[in-house]
Amino acid sequence: MNQEKLETISNLFENNEIRSIWDSEKEDYYFSVVDVISALTNTNIPRNYWSDLKRKLKVEGSELHENIVQLKMKAQDGKMRVTDTLDTKGILRLIESVPSPKAEPFKLWLASLGSERIDEVFDPEIAIKRAINYYRKRGYSDKWIEMRLKGILNRNKLTDIWKEGGITENYEYRILTNKIYKEWSDMKASEYKTYKGIRKESLRDNMSDIELALTDLGEVATRELAKEHKPYGLEQNRKVAKMGGHAAKVARDDIEKNLGKSVVSKSKNIPYEYIEELPVENRE
């Protein structure tokens, strides 16, 4: 299975995060078994519960044990770790081995997920509504969500312009994006994430309204300047990206002058903190 072609998703069942991966060819999910067990049981250590159950299934020669697929998923520490997963059919079989009063509600939830994903193929608006609900459940305001969605659209328009200007490699897009960030925030994207104390999480999902607005302004300005000056190749586009970032820098300076404080904040929207720990096996 080529995981690069799969879509990683976070779903919620009764406020419990269930990490999952959508296989568009198979039209089915692969769910983190540990997350499912955590949602179904009251165990404090779902990994131990699953470890014991997995050994039992193996001894019994259960077909379920043979259907386990190991995929990389983002762990709470932000790292991508190999995780035991099962498809929808496998999860339904798993529920039979995990006595829980939540079994029936979970089955209904699974059925609705599969139907929703397939429906999105025919009606993309459903996917947009799902994204909006995802952000709302995490406490984002409607104003912030509107800005975020517009930012995604503007970003796509910018990358289209860059592509017309001869930008084709991923590292080139990263260089140009970092040029915009560096110009207005004094930090590259990776430095900005470090400043906020995040790792794999989306930088923009952890921005304030003003930070998000300045990011969008830098990219929109870059797009309009590129449309006017028609740069070609990395070096010419880099100069234009710097100009676009500078437009956001001017706006930032003016805002900060009137606010009397920096608008670049360490605040973030993740409900956990990273801790340094001793090296462990890269596996859940």
Side-chain angles (χ1 to χ4, degrees):
M1 181 184 298
N2 185 353
Q3 184 159 355
E4 293 181 358
K5 295 182 179 180
L6 303 179
E7 180 185 359
T8 303
I9 304 167
S10 270
N11 290 306
L12 289 178
F13 168 71
E14 297 184 353
N15 294 319
N16 294 286
E17 183 175 47
I18 310 293
R19 290 169 297 167
S20 51
I21 289 177
W22 173 256
D23 185 339
S24 58
E25 293 184 1
K26 188 179 176 182
E27 292 190 341
D28 200 0
Y29 282 99
Y30 285 88
F31 298 91
S32 164
V33 178
V34 170
D35 290 355
V36 172
I37 287 176
S38 179
L40 290 175
T41 69
N42 294 320
T43 178
N44 293 324
I45 311 178
R47 293 179 189 175
N48 290 355
Y49 188 110
W50 170 232
S51 181
D52 292 340
L53 178 58
K54 186 162 59 170
R55 280 195 295 269
K56 179 175 179 289
L57 293 171
K58 185 176 182 180
V59 170
E60 294 175 350
S62 170
E63 182 182 339
L64 182 61
H65 184 273
E66 301 300 320
N67 292 334
I68 296 170
V69 176
Q70 293 187 321
L71 297 171
K72 286 188 175 181
M73 289 183 165
K74 187 189 296 182
Q76 193 177 54
D77 62 4
K79 297 179 181 178
M80 299 299 289
R81 298 185 183 276
V82 176
T83 306
D84 286 347
T85 70
L86 288 167
D87 61 13
T88 303
K89 181 179 178 181
I91 291 296
L92 289 171
R93 298 261 323 258
L94 175 70
I95 292 174
E96 298 173 2
S97 303
V98 182
S100 170
K102 297 181 180 179
E104 288 306 316
F106 198 90
K107 289 178 183 179
L108 293 174
W109 179 77
L110 285 177
S112 67
L113 280 185
S115 175
E116 286 172 3
R117 296 297 294 170
I118 294 171
D119 288 346
E120 286 172 10
V121 174
F122 302 100
D123 186 359
E125 183 179 344
I126 296 174
I128 297 173
K129 290 180 179 178
R130 179 167 58 86
I132 291 172
N133 289 331
Y134 174 88
Y135 283 125
R136 279 178 172 169
K137 287 178 180 178
R138 281 158 176 74
Y140 292 94
S141 68
D142 285 352
K143 177 184 177 183
W144 187 97
I145 296 171
E146 182 180 1
M147 291 173 61
R148 184 71 176 95
L149 295 179
K150 286 182 178 178
I152 293 172
L153 180 59
N154 287 329
R155 172 70 183 181
N156 287 339
K157 290 180 180 179
L158 173 59
T159 55
D160 287 344
I161 291 294
W162 278 342
K163 190 177 298 183
E164 292 175 8
I167 303 303
T168 59
E169 302 294 335
N170 287 335
Y171 79 89
E172 294 178 309
Y173 289 105
R174 288 195 296 270
I175 288 173
L176 296 177
T177 300
N178 277 325
K179 177 58 68 175
I180 298 172
Y181 272 116
K182 187 74 174 179
E183 189 64 23
W184 79 260
S185 72
D186 298 321
M187 292 180 282
K188 294 187 295 185
S190 59
E191 295 169 335
Y192 208 152
K193 294 178 78 169
T194 299
Y195 179 75
K196 281 183 172 289
I198 60 178
R199 297 179 183 176
K200 296 291 185 179
E201 296 83 3
S202 165
L203 175 57
R204 298 187 196 215
D205 281 359
N206 286 280
M207 286 182 168
S208 66
D209 289 359
I210 292 180
E211 289 174 301
L212 196 58
L214 290 172
T215 300
D216 291 345
L217 174 59
E219 294 195 340
V220 170
T222 299
R223 184 188 77 210
E224 294 305 308
L225 288 165
K227 286 165 64 176
E228 181 66 26
H229 295 285
K230 295 180 172 52
Y232 196 86
L234 181 58
E235 288 308 312
Q236 290 184 15
N237 273 287
R238 195 202 299 259
K239 293 178 181 178
V240 172
K242 182 176 181 178
M243 294 165 60
H246 182 70
K249 170 67 172 174
V250 172
R252 174 190 172 182
D253 289 344
D254 188 57
I255 294 170
E256 290 182 343
K257 179 181 178 181
N258 289 286
L259 280 178
K261 63 180 181 179
S262 175
V263 297
V264 175
S265 169
K266 286 189 175 183
S267 65
K268 52 186 179 290
N269 298 312
I270 57 176
Y272 49 84
E273 294 289 339
Y274 289 108
I275 57 174
E276 296 302 323
E277 55 186 18
L278 295 175
V280 295
E281 184 182 2
N282 189 31
R283 180 183 297 274
E284 289 192 353

